[in-house]
């Protein structure tokens, strides 16, 4: 009787399980292992990119909270649709302001929901996360973003400035010894940067972006609608009435004046007095 080595005995006994395991490991989704993901943590929207799958999530950075229980009721697009249609105890919150975290706990809830929704957590590992941040943010703001991502389920969290990531995504060769200017207009901030040799040479972040653009457009439309309603209201009626009165007075004056070459009867009597 031939005695097989332990390794061969293991292979023969568990060959079916090994085949299944290899199949799982070689599948495209690789369910046992997590994936590398990139997150654009924007003031208006959150985008998540998964390596090998592309952009898998693009939803508003809004979360609806029950103020009585402090529990989230809806996140993303569902929470945005609830704005203005909920009772007083439910409020919609945007936890990001000007590209940075304004409410840490709400941001953590939102990130946790999005990461669970795209199902990138593996059985044996957590995902590695790359997050885009505005330029010139403080170390405290960077630490808040990093901690929120780690507590949301990230194994390793990397931060990268938005202009550099935008340049790479647009196909720019930022490693050449030449200047490349990038203007990244987001919802809360606009980042302007000059890149060369693979890094940012100079950059500036201003708090004037899409949200303020939208607000200025809304204000302009309100002013125009208000002025048009006033013109179509009592003010317009009074103007029309004044115009009619002036027209009537001009017509009356024109008819009351003597025509050219004619004299009034009074002047005729005065010119030829009777004896």
């Amino acid at each position: 009787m031939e005695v097989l080595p332990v390794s061969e005995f293991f292979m023969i006994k568990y060959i079916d399980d090994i085949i299944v395991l290899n199949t799982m490991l070689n599948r495209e989704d690789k369910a046992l292992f997590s994936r590398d993901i990139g997150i654009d943590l924007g003031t208006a929207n959150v985008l998540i990119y998964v390596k090998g799958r592309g952009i898998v999530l693009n939803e508003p950075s809004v979360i609806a909270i029950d103020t009585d229980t402090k529990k989230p009721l809806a996140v993303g697009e569902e929470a945005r649709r609830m704005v203005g249609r909920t009772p007083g105890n439910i409020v919609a919150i945007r936890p990001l302001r000007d590209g940075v975290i304004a409410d840490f706990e709400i941001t953590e809830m939102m990130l946790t929901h999005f990461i669970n929704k795209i199902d990138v957590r593996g059985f044996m590992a957590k995902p590695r996360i790359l997050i885009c941040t505005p330029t010139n943010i403080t170390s405290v703001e960077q630490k808040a973003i990093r901690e929120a991502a780690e507590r949301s389920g990230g194994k390793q969290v990397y931060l990268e400035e938005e202009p550099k990531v935008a340049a790479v995504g647009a196909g720019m060769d930022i490693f050449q010894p030449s200047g490349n200017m990038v203007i990244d207009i987001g919802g809360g901030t606009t980042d302007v940067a000059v890149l060369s040799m693979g890094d940012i040479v100079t950059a500036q972040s201003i708090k004037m972006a899409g949200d303020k653009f939208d607000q200025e457009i809304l204000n302009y439309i309100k002013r125009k609608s208000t002025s048009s309603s006033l013109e179509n209201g009592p003010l317009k009626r009074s103007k029309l009435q004044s115009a009619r009165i002036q027209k009537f007075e001009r017509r009356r004056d024109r008819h009351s004046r003597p025509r050219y070459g004619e004299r009034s009867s009074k002047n005729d009597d005065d010119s030829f007095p009777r004896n």
Side-chain angles (χ1 to χ4, degrees):
M1 180 178 179
E2 182 181 359
V3 180
L4 296 175
V6 176
S7 58
E8 293 184 14
F9 176 78
F10 179 84
M11 288 285 291
I12 293 174
K13 184 176 180 180
Y14 298 100
I15 187 67
D16 294 335
D17 295 337
I18 293 174
I19 292 174
V20 173
L21 179 61
N22 288 333
T23 303
M24 294 177 65
L25 293 178
N26 292 326
R27 283 192 314 177
E28 184 179 357
D29 58 353
K30 295 183 180 180
L32 289 182
F33 296 96
S34 63
R35 288 185 174 272
D36 297 335
I37 65 175
I39 300 178
D40 182 7
L41 202 60
T43 305
N45 292 279
V46 174
L47 282 80
I48 298 182
Y49 172 90
V50 178
K51 187 177 180 180
R53 291 167 54 186
I55 297 176
V56 296
L57 186 138
N58 182 5
E59 294 195 20
S61 52
V62 182
I63 181 170
I65 300 290
D66 188 343
T67 56
D68 296 334
T69 61
K70 305 299 181 182
K71 293 183 178 180
L73 301 178
V75 183
E77 183 62 30
E78 185 180 357
R80 188 190 65 83
R81 290 197 298 264
M82 294 173 64
V83 175
R85 302 180 179 90
T86 57
N89 64 316
I90 300 176
V91 293
I93 301 174
R94 299 180 69 173
L96 296 157
R97 187 176 298 114
D98 299 331
V100 295
I101 294 177
D103 193 318
F104 182 84
E105 293 182 358
I106 302 300
T107 303
E108 181 186 343
M109 292 180 187
M110 183 178 68
L111 278 178
T112 303
H113 173 82
F114 287 151
I115 292 175
N116 291 335
K117 184 176 182 179
I118 62 176
D119 192 20
V120 293
R121 292 182 180 178
F123 178 73
M124 301 172 60
K126 296 180 179 180
R128 295 186 300 177
I129 300 176
L130 172 67
I131 298 182
C132 305
T133 62
T135 58
N136 303 330
I137 64 172
T138 64
S139 59
V140 176
E141 293 168 340
Q142 291 180 356
K143 184 178 180 182
I145 295 174
R146 191 185 303 275
E147 288 183 356
E150 289 175 350
R151 294 177 62 174
S152 300
K155 179 182 179 182
Q156 295 176 327
V157 180
Y158 305 92
L159 303 182
E160 192 58 73
E161 293 172 310
E162 290 177 354
K164 185 188 293 186
V165 177
V168 173
M172 285 186 178
D173 188 1
I174 63 174
F175 296 96
Q176 294 296 324
S178 60
N180 296 283
M181 176 175 282
V182 177
I183 301 176
D184 182 12
I185 302 176
T189 59
T190 297
D191 294 289
V192 184
V194 176
L195 299 97
S196 180
M197 299 295 292
D199 206 350
I200 294 177
V201 178
T202 181
Q204 184 66 39
S205 180
I206 58 176
K207 292 177 172 51
M208 174 66 72
D211 287 347
K212 289 190 177 181
F213 295 165
D214 295 343
Q215 189 61 43
E216 289 299 324
I217 293 172
L218 288 174
N219 294 337
Y220 174 78
I221 294 174
K222 287 180 181 178
R223 289 196 300 267
K224 293 294 289 185
S225 62
T226 303
S227 61
S228 63
S229 63
L230 289 176
E231 291 177 358
N232 295 327
L235 182 61
K236 184 175 182 179
R237 289 196 295 269
S238 63
K239 287 183 178 179
L240 289 174
Q241 187 175 4
S242 300
R244 290 171 182 170
I245 293 173
Q246 292 176 2
K247 185 177 180 181
F248 174 77
E249 290 178 349
R250 286 197 299 269
R251 185 181 299 174
R252 184 189 61 187
D253 294 341
R254 186 169 62 251
H255 287 291
S256 63
R257 289 197 300 268
R259 296 181 180 179
Y260 180 76
E262 293 182 354
R263 294 182 179 181
S264 63
S265 59
K266 182 178 179 181
N267 291 337
D268 291 343
D269 293 342
D270 294 341
S271 301
F272 301 96
R274 296 178 181 181
N275 296 325

